[in-house]
Amino acid sequence: MKPVWKVVGWVSGALGAAVAGAAVAQTAKVSHERKTAIDSLADEPLGQLRPDRESTVAADDGVPISVEEVDPGDGGEADITVVLVHGFALDRRCWHFQRKDLEELIDPRVHQVLYDQRSHGRSGRSAPENSTIDQLALDLDSVIRSVVPNGPLVLVGHSMGGMTIMALAEKEPELFAERVRGVALIGTAAGAVGGAGLPKSVLSRYNPVTLGIGRLAGVQPAFVEWVRKGTKTLTWSGIRALAFGDRKVAPSLVDLMEKMINGTAVKVLTEFLETLGTHDRYKALAGLRHCEVLILSGDADKLTPFSHAERMAEEMPHATLVRAPGAGHMVMMEQADLVNDHLVALIERCATDRGESRKKWWRRA
């Protein structure tokens, strides 16, 4: 849901808005800011970590889903699997800091599964009619069945990834009763998307702006992508302003975010807008009653404001609600230490659940 604001910008450009002069001025401004900013992560290999295994899982409609696995760093046997599910217009690289820290856990040891949602990252392109949260839930189920068919699970979802987990809980309640011990919902919403934050009309395919870019991307995809590239600097500045809470966020984080968004075709973005705008899964939260639940959101999130987290917590009084002060939508990148501390605490609780804490259910391949 994050780049809906970008869609509006692309439409304006594609329809002939006079952005050239503004782009030149903005380019100079952004270039100066990037050169003078202190980048504490300049030496961090963001998005470049190598997995232990990569594979492809076929979704039920045949779309290839790209998956990677990460074993415990000390070579020991894993106690629990954590599946990380990214959001709209991103890919699995957004979990860089979580992937690093969870690999180093010893008690419990964690087997990590990360994958790219359909039409995102390295996964295959979906048919427009299957660009839905319901289908994403089926994809998650396929990944679990293929890659980690046994043993306890913790599911971690950001933004549309959190919605994917909710939809799976609605479809497969027995999975959550039997295997899913914990769920982390990060920067996400159970419904009323657009009720706070972005206007709901922007998230509707019936909005003339959204409808216009969808049609244009369908008949002139190369032109739309050309316009997108032409406003690249404006995009960088917009990403920093709308995805992060702190304007002093490390420029390399904005760079990674920009790479992920720009790696997703404009047509894909428009195809998912309807499912995001109609998302309503408050009833599905009942399926998480057997799980440890962490709800975490930044209180400077402009895309899924903290009020969404509070509403979900009202529906799940057993959940742990965490406010990340000053953090924006990309809280797991912006305040990685805070997020990781709470994720580790969740995993530790889940690993000692149901009297099976030290059962070695998984063997390294």
Side-chain angles (χ1 to χ4, degrees), residues 49-52 68-76 82 84 95-112 114 340 344 347 364:
L49 301 177
R50 298 177 65 85
D52 291 295
E68 68 178 45
E69 297 176 73
V70 182
D71 298 336
D74 69 350
V82 175
L84 297 126
W95 298 113
H96 175 87
F97 298 107
Q98 290 67 47
R99 185 190 182 288
K100 273 184 64 176
D101 281 8
L102 296 185
E103 183 178 3
E104 298 306 314
L105 273 185
I106 295 176
D107 188 16
R109 292 183 177 91
V110 172
H111 166 219
Q112 296 182 72
L114 304 91
N340 291 355
V344 169
I347 294 166
R364 299 179 70 220

Short mmCIF file of all heavy atoms in Angstrom, two decimals, residues 49-52 68-76 82 84 95-112 114 340 344 347 364:
data_model
loop_
_atom_site.label_atom_id
_atom_site.label_comp_id
_atom_site.label_asym_id
_atom_site.label_seq_id
_atom_site.Cartn_x
_atom_site.Cartn_y
_atom_site.Cartn_z
N LEU A 49 22.76 -9.84 1.42
CA LEU A 49 23.07 -11.04 2.20
C LEU A 49 22.73 -12.30 1.39
O LEU A 49 21.70 -12.36 0.71
CB LEU A 49 22.29 -11.03 3.51
CG LEU A 49 22.54 -9.83 4.43
CD1 LEU A 49 21.66 -9.90 5.66
CD2 LEU A 49 24.02 -9.76 4.83
N ARG A 50 23.58 -13.30 1.48
CA ARG A 50 23.39 -14.52 0.71
C ARG A 50 22.66 -15.57 1.54
O ARG A 50 23.01 -15.80 2.70
CB ARG A 50 24.74 -15.09 0.24
CG ARG A 50 25.50 -14.16 -0.69
CD ARG A 50 26.86 -14.75 -1.05
NE ARG A 50 26.72 -15.97 -1.81
CZ ARG A 50 26.57 -16.03 -3.12
NH1 ARG A 50 26.52 -14.91 -3.82
NH2 ARG A 50 26.47 -17.18 -3.75
N PRO A 51 21.66 -16.22 0.97
CA PRO A 51 20.93 -17.27 1.71
C PRO A 51 21.68 -18.59 1.70
O PRO A 51 22.65 -18.76 0.95
CB PRO A 51 19.63 -17.38 0.91
CG PRO A 51 20.04 -17.09 -0.50
CD PRO A 51 21.11 -16.01 -0.38
N ASP A 52 21.24 -19.50 2.53
CA ASP A 52 21.81 -20.86 2.50
C ASP A 52 21.21 -21.68 1.36
O ASP A 52 21.89 -22.53 0.79
CB ASP A 52 21.56 -21.56 3.84
CG ASP A 52 22.38 -20.93 4.95
OD1 ASP A 52 23.63 -21.02 4.89
OD2 ASP A 52 21.79 -20.33 5.87
N GLU A 68 13.86 -18.04 -0.29
CA GLU A 68 15.20 -18.31 0.23
C GLU A 68 15.09 -18.75 1.69
O GLU A 68 14.14 -18.39 2.39
CB GLU A 68 16.12 -17.11 0.10
CG GLU A 68 15.79 -15.91 0.96
CD GLU A 68 16.79 -14.78 0.79
OE1 GLU A 68 17.16 -14.47 -0.37
OE2 GLU A 68 17.20 -14.21 1.82
N GLU A 69 16.08 -19.53 2.11
CA GLU A 69 16.13 -20.01 3.49
C GLU A 69 17.47 -19.64 4.12
O GLU A 69 18.50 -19.63 3.44
CB GLU A 69 15.95 -21.53 3.53
CG GLU A 69 14.60 -22.01 3.02
CD GLU A 69 14.53 -23.53 2.98
OE1 GLU A 69 14.44 -24.14 4.07
OE2 GLU A 69 14.60 -24.09 1.87
N VAL A 70 17.42 -19.36 5.40
CA VAL A 70 18.61 -19.02 6.16
C VAL A 70 18.66 -19.91 7.39
O VAL A 70 17.71 -19.96 8.18
CB VAL A 70 18.60 -17.54 6.59
CG1 VAL A 70 19.89 -17.20 7.34
CG2 VAL A 70 18.42 -16.63 5.38
N ASP A 71 19.76 -20.63 7.55
CA ASP A 71 19.95 -21.54 8.68
C ASP A 71 20.52 -20.79 9.88
O ASP A 71 21.08 -19.70 9.73
CB ASP A 71 20.90 -22.67 8.30
CG ASP A 71 20.37 -23.53 7.17
OD1 ASP A 71 19.14 -23.56 6.98
OD2 ASP A 71 21.19 -24.16 6.47
N PRO A 72 20.46 -21.38 11.07
CA PRO A 72 21.13 -20.77 12.23
C PRO A 72 22.61 -20.55 11.95
O PRO A 72 23.29 -21.40 11.37
CB PRO A 72 20.91 -21.81 13.33
CG PRO A 72 19.67 -22.53 12.93
CD PRO A 72 19.72 -22.60 11.43
N GLY A 73 23.11 -19.40 12.35
CA GLY A 73 24.48 -19.02 12.03
C GLY A 73 25.54 -19.91 12.62
O GLY A 73 26.64 -20.01 12.07
N ASP A 74 25.25 -20.56 13.75
CA ASP A 74 26.28 -21.39 14.39
C ASP A 74 26.26 -22.83 13.89
O ASP A 74 27.02 -23.66 14.38
CB ASP A 74 26.10 -21.36 15.91
CG ASP A 74 24.84 -22.08 16.39
OD1 ASP A 74 23.99 -22.44 15.53
OD2 ASP A 74 24.70 -22.28 17.61
N GLY A 75 25.41 -23.11 12.91
CA GLY A 75 25.37 -24.46 12.34
C GLY A 75 24.54 -25.45 13.13
O GLY A 75 24.45 -26.62 12.76
N GLY A 76 23.93 -25.00 14.22
CA GLY A 76 23.12 -25.90 15.03
C GLY A 76 21.76 -26.17 14.42
O GLY A 76 21.38 -25.59 13.39
N VAL A 82 10.81 -19.06 11.28
CA VAL A 82 10.21 -17.73 11.15
C VAL A 82 10.06 -17.43 9.66
O VAL A 82 11.02 -17.49 8.91
CB VAL A 82 11.08 -16.65 11.83
CG1 VAL A 82 10.49 -15.26 11.57
CG2 VAL A 82 11.19 -16.91 13.32
N LEU A 84 9.04 -14.61 6.97
CA LEU A 84 8.93 -13.15 6.86
C LEU A 84 8.24 -12.79 5.55
O LEU A 84 8.67 -13.21 4.47
CB LEU A 84 10.31 -12.52 6.93
CG LEU A 84 11.01 -12.76 8.28
CD1 LEU A 84 12.38 -13.38 8.08
CD2 LEU A 84 11.13 -11.47 9.08
N TRP A 95 13.75 -7.00 4.77
CA TRP A 95 13.97 -7.65 6.07
C TRP A 95 15.46 -7.77 6.40
O TRP A 95 15.84 -8.57 7.25
CB TRP A 95 13.35 -9.05 6.07
CG TRP A 95 11.86 -9.07 5.88
CD1 TRP A 95 11.18 -9.57 4.81
CD2 TRP A 95 10.87 -8.62 6.81
NE1 TRP A 95 9.83 -9.46 5.01
CE2 TRP A 95 9.61 -8.87 6.23
CE3 TRP A 95 10.94 -8.02 8.08
CZ2 TRP A 95 8.41 -8.55 6.87
CZ3 TRP A 95 9.75 -7.69 8.71
CH2 TRP A 95 8.50 -7.95 8.12
N HIS A 96 16.30 -6.97 5.77
CA HIS A 96 17.75 -7.09 5.91
C HIS A 96 18.20 -7.21 7.38
O HIS A 96 18.94 -8.12 7.75
CB HIS A 96 18.43 -5.89 5.26
CG HIS A 96 19.91 -5.84 5.44
ND1 HIS A 96 20.79 -6.48 4.60
CD2 HIS A 96 20.68 -5.24 6.40
CE1 HIS A 96 22.03 -6.27 5.01
NE2 HIS A 96 22.00 -5.52 6.10
N PHE A 97 17.76 -6.29 8.22
CA PHE A 97 18.24 -6.26 9.61
C PHE A 97 17.66 -7.39 10.44
O PHE A 97 18.34 -7.93 11.33
CB PHE A 97 17.91 -4.90 10.25
CG PHE A 97 18.57 -3.75 9.56
CD1 PHE A 97 17.82 -2.88 8.77
CD2 PHE A 97 19.94 -3.54 9.68
CE1 PHE A 97 18.44 -1.81 8.13
CE2 PHE A 97 20.55 -2.47 9.04
CZ PHE A 97 19.80 -1.61 8.26
N GLN A 98 16.43 -7.78 10.17
CA GLN A 98 15.84 -8.90 10.90
C GLN A 98 16.55 -10.20 10.50
O GLN A 98 16.88 -11.03 11.35
CB GLN A 98 14.34 -9.00 10.58
CG GLN A 98 13.51 -7.88 11.19
CD GLN A 98 13.78 -6.51 10.60
OE1 GLN A 98 13.84 -6.35 9.38
NE2 GLN A 98 13.98 -5.51 11.45
N ARG A 99 16.81 -10.35 9.23
CA ARG A 99 17.49 -11.55 8.73
C ARG A 99 18.86 -11.71 9.39
O ARG A 99 19.25 -12.81 9.78
CB ARG A 99 17.64 -11.41 7.22
CG ARG A 99 18.22 -12.60 6.49
CD ARG A 99 18.52 -12.15 5.06
NE ARG A 99 19.03 -13.20 4.22
CZ ARG A 99 20.25 -13.72 4.31
NH1 ARG A 99 21.07 -13.33 5.28
NH2 ARG A 99 20.65 -14.66 3.47
N LYS A 100 19.60 -10.61 9.52
CA LYS A 100 20.93 -10.65 10.13
C LYS A 100 20.86 -11.07 11.60
O LYS A 100 21.60 -11.95 12.04
CB LYS A 100 21.59 -9.27 10.04
CG LYS A 100 22.35 -8.99 8.77
CD LYS A 100 23.04 -7.64 8.82
CE LYS A 100 24.10 -7.60 9.90
NZ LYS A 100 24.84 -6.30 9.88
N ASP A 101 19.98 -10.43 12.36
CA ASP A 101 19.94 -10.69 13.80
C ASP A 101 19.37 -12.05 14.13
O ASP A 101 19.86 -12.75 15.03
CB ASP A 101 19.13 -9.59 14.50
CG ASP A 101 19.93 -8.31 14.68
OD1 ASP A 101 21.05 -8.23 14.14
OD2 ASP A 101 19.43 -7.39 15.37
N LEU A 102 18.33 -12.47 13.41
CA LEU A 102 17.72 -13.76 13.72
C LEU A 102 18.66 -14.91 13.39
O LEU A 102 18.62 -15.96 14.04
CB LEU A 102 16.40 -13.93 12.97
CG LEU A 102 15.28 -12.95 13.35
CD1 LEU A 102 14.00 -13.29 12.61
CD2 LEU A 102 15.05 -12.95 14.86
N GLU A 103 19.51 -14.73 12.40
CA GLU A 103 20.49 -15.77 12.06
C GLU A 103 21.44 -16.03 13.22
O GLU A 103 21.92 -17.16 13.40
CB GLU A 103 21.27 -15.34 10.82
CG GLU A 103 22.26 -16.40 10.33
CD GLU A 103 22.99 -15.97 9.08
OE1 GLU A 103 22.77 -14.84 8.60
OE2 GLU A 103 23.80 -16.77 8.56
N GLU A 104 21.71 -15.02 14.02
CA GLU A 104 22.67 -15.15 15.11
C GLU A 104 22.06 -15.65 16.41
O GLU A 104 22.79 -15.90 17.38
CB GLU A 104 23.35 -13.79 15.36
CG GLU A 104 24.14 -13.26 14.16
CD GLU A 104 25.16 -14.28 13.67
OE1 GLU A 104 25.88 -14.86 14.51
OE2 GLU A 104 25.23 -14.50 12.44
N LEU A 105 20.75 -15.81 16.45
CA LEU A 105 20.12 -16.32 17.68
C LEU A 105 20.60 -17.75 17.97
O LEU A 105 20.72 -18.57 17.07
CB LEU A 105 18.60 -16.34 17.53
CG LEU A 105 17.83 -15.07 17.90
CD1 LEU A 105 16.34 -15.35 17.79
CD2 LEU A 105 18.18 -14.60 19.30
N ILE A 106 20.82 -18.02 19.25
CA ILE A 106 21.26 -19.36 19.67
C ILE A 106 20.19 -20.06 20.49
O ILE A 106 20.00 -21.26 20.39
CB ILE A 106 22.58 -19.26 20.47
CG1 ILE A 106 23.70 -18.75 19.58
CG2 ILE A 106 22.96 -20.62 21.06
CD1 ILE A 106 25.01 -18.52 20.30
N ASP A 107 19.47 -19.31 21.29
CA ASP A 107 18.45 -19.91 22.15
C ASP A 107 17.19 -19.06 22.12
O ASP A 107 17.08 -18.09 22.88
CB ASP A 107 18.98 -20.02 23.59
CG ASP A 107 18.04 -20.81 24.50
OD1 ASP A 107 17.16 -21.51 23.96
OD2 ASP A 107 18.20 -20.71 25.72
N PRO A 108 16.27 -19.35 21.21
CA PRO A 108 16.23 -20.50 20.31
C PRO A 108 16.95 -20.23 18.98
O PRO A 108 17.15 -19.08 18.60
CB PRO A 108 14.73 -20.67 20.05
CG PRO A 108 14.23 -19.26 20.08
CD PRO A 108 15.03 -18.56 21.14
N ARG A 109 17.33 -21.30 18.31
CA ARG A 109 17.89 -21.18 16.96
C ARG A 109 16.74 -21.09 15.97
O ARG A 109 15.73 -21.79 16.10
CB ARG A 109 18.80 -22.36 16.63
CG ARG A 109 20.08 -22.40 17.45
CD ARG A 109 20.96 -23.55 17.02
NE ARG A 109 22.22 -23.55 17.74
CZ ARG A 109 22.43 -24.20 18.88
NH1 ARG A 109 21.43 -24.89 19.43
NH2 ARG A 109 23.61 -24.16 19.47
N VAL A 110 16.94 -20.26 14.97
CA VAL A 110 15.85 -19.96 14.04
C VAL A 110 16.20 -20.36 12.61
O VAL A 110 17.30 -20.08 12.12
CB VAL A 110 15.52 -18.44 14.08
CG1 VAL A 110 14.53 -18.07 12.99
CG2 VAL A 110 14.98 -18.05 15.45
N HIS A 111 15.26 -21.02 11.99
CA HIS A 111 15.30 -21.29 10.55
C HIS A 111 14.42 -20.22 9.90
O HIS A 111 13.24 -20.10 10.22
CB HIS A 111 14.73 -22.69 10.28
CG HIS A 111 14.40 -22.99 8.85
ND1 HIS A 111 13.27 -23.70 8.49
CD2 HIS A 111 15.04 -22.69 7.69
CE1 HIS A 111 13.23 -23.84 7.18
NE2 HIS A 111 14.29 -23.23 6.67
N GLN A 112 15.00 -19.42 9.01
CA GLN A 112 14.25 -18.33 8.38
C GLN A 112 13.83 -18.69 6.96
O GLN A 112 14.61 -19.25 6.19
CB GLN A 112 15.10 -17.07 8.33
CG GLN A 112 15.46 -16.49 9.69
CD GLN A 112 16.27 -15.22 9.54
OE1 GLN A 112 15.74 -14.17 9.16
NE2 GLN A 112 17.55 -15.30 9.84
N LEU A 114 12.21 -16.59 3.72
CA LEU A 114 11.83 -15.31 3.14
C LEU A 114 11.45 -15.55 1.69
O LEU A 114 12.06 -16.38 1.01
CB LEU A 114 12.97 -14.30 3.20
CG LEU A 114 13.58 -14.00 4.58
CD1 LEU A 114 14.77 -14.93 4.85
CD2 LEU A 114 14.06 -12.55 4.65
N ASN A 340 13.65 -5.64 16.30
CA ASN A 340 14.29 -6.93 16.52
C ASN A 340 14.20 -7.37 17.97
O ASN A 340 14.03 -8.56 18.26
CB ASN A 340 15.75 -6.89 16.07
CG ASN A 340 15.87 -6.77 14.55
OD1 ASN A 340 14.87 -6.82 13.83
ND2 ASN A 340 17.09 -6.62 14.07
N VAL A 344 12.52 -10.91 18.80
CA VAL A 344 13.24 -11.95 19.54
C VAL A 344 12.44 -12.37 20.78
O VAL A 344 12.32 -13.56 21.08
CB VAL A 344 14.65 -11.47 19.93
CG1 VAL A 344 15.30 -12.43 20.93
CG2 VAL A 344 15.53 -11.34 18.70
N ILE A 347 9.65 -14.60 19.62
CA ILE A 347 10.15 -15.91 19.23
C ILE A 347 10.52 -16.74 20.45
O ILE A 347 10.24 -17.95 20.51
CB ILE A 347 11.36 -15.76 18.28
CG1 ILE A 347 10.90 -15.13 16.95
CG2 ILE A 347 12.03 -17.11 18.01
CD1 ILE A 347 12.04 -14.63 16.08
N ARG A 364 19.08 -29.71 9.13
CA ARG A 364 19.65 -28.93 8.03
C ARG A 364 19.87 -29.81 6.80
O ARG A 364 20.30 -30.95 6.91
CB ARG A 364 20.98 -28.31 8.45
CG ARG A 364 20.85 -27.36 9.63
CD ARG A 364 22.21 -26.81 10.02
NE ARG A 364 22.70 -25.90 9.01
CZ ARG A 364 23.95 -25.84 8.61
NH1 ARG A 364 24.83 -26.65 9.11
NH2 ARG A 364 24.33 -24.96 7.71
#
